[in-house]
């Protein structure tokens, strides 16, 4: 698939590397592409990246993501699957910028013709792209209103090494709220562990005998 990225930071670079290794055509998008020559991946302007993509990945800080999308425009984004990994956090990582909603919900409301799927925002870039390197299986979540878009994203998760047994569909886009709000607990766990590379696993009850 043709996968475009909004953003050129470590999350975008890690995911682009993972999907490129799986055979996908990746393009990173930047407001200043001429200044982003050290990414290890091709870089273009935001409009060109959006036009290139069958799946567009939002890897921008959640506090500016809507502004970036609006600069591209609803017409250019219509029909493109938007895979959102962004979380809006304050500079000191103690407050959410969308405390009573989620970035993904606001994206879907602002761009109704662009199916939004929230995933991968409950872990760091290393865990996103190398789940088998963790000390045991863990869980990756999906939220979104469009079933076909979620199937597309689930396939891309599989290409990163996430087996079907690790993927948990939470339901519609409103469930993205829980994924994003986990960020505060994530920071606490990271401080307790002394590392940002970890993930959580949903452990259901044992089947009845």
């Amino acid at each position: 698939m043709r996968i475009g990225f909004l953003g050129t930071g470590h999350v975008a670079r890690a995911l682009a590397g993972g999907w490129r290794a799986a055979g996908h055509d990746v393009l990173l998008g930047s407001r200043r592409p001429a200044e982003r020559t050290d990414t290890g991946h091709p870089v273009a302007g935001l409009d060109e990246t959006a036009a290139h993509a069958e799946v567009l990945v939002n890897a921008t800080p959640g506090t500016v993501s809507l502004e970036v999308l609006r600069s591209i425009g609803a017409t250019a984004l219509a029909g493109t699957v938007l895979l959102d990994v962004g979380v809006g956090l304050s500079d000191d990582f103690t407050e959410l910028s969308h405390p009573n909603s989620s970035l993904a919900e606001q994206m879907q409301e602002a761009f109704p013709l662009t199916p939004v799927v929230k995933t991968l925002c409950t872990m760091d870039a290393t865990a996103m792209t190398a789940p088998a390197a963790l000390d045991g299986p863990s869980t990756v979540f999906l939220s979104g209103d469009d079933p076909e878009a979620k199937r597309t994203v689930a396939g891309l998760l599989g290409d990163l090494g996430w087996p079907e047994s690790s993927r948990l569909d939470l339901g519609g886009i409103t469930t993205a709220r829980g994924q994003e709000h986990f960020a505060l607990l994530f920071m606490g766990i990271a401080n307790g562990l002394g590392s940002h590379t970890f993930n959580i696993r949903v452990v259901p009850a044992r089947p009845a005998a």
Side-chain angles (χ1 to χ4, degrees), residues 108-187:
Q108 190 61 87
E109 182 178 5
F111 301 94
L113 300 181
T114 302
V116 179
V117 181
K118 190 80 184 191
T119 191
L120 290 171
C121 72
T122 54
M123 65 195 79
D124 78 344
T126 302
M128 290 178 191
T129 55
L134 298 173
D135 190 16
S138 60
T139 304
V140 62
F141 305 101
L142 297 99
S143 301
D145 294 335
D146 187 297
E148 184 58 35
K150 279 200 283 193
R151 281 192 288 270
T152 297
V153 171
L156 291 175
L157 292 175
D159 290 339
L160 293 176
W162 292 96
E164 186 174 356
S165 59
S166 290
R167 304 174 217 150
L168 183 57
D169 186 342
L170 300 180
I173 199 63
T174 57
T175 66
R177 199 172 302 188
Q179 292 198 57
E180 293 184 24
H181 288 205
F182 176 75
L184 299 179
L185 180 56
F186 177 93
M187 295 308 301

Side-chain angles (χ1 to χ4, degrees), residues 10-25:
H10 68 280
V11 171
R13 298 180 196 198
L15 289 173
W19 280 319
R20 192 176 187 177
H24 297 288
D25 177 1

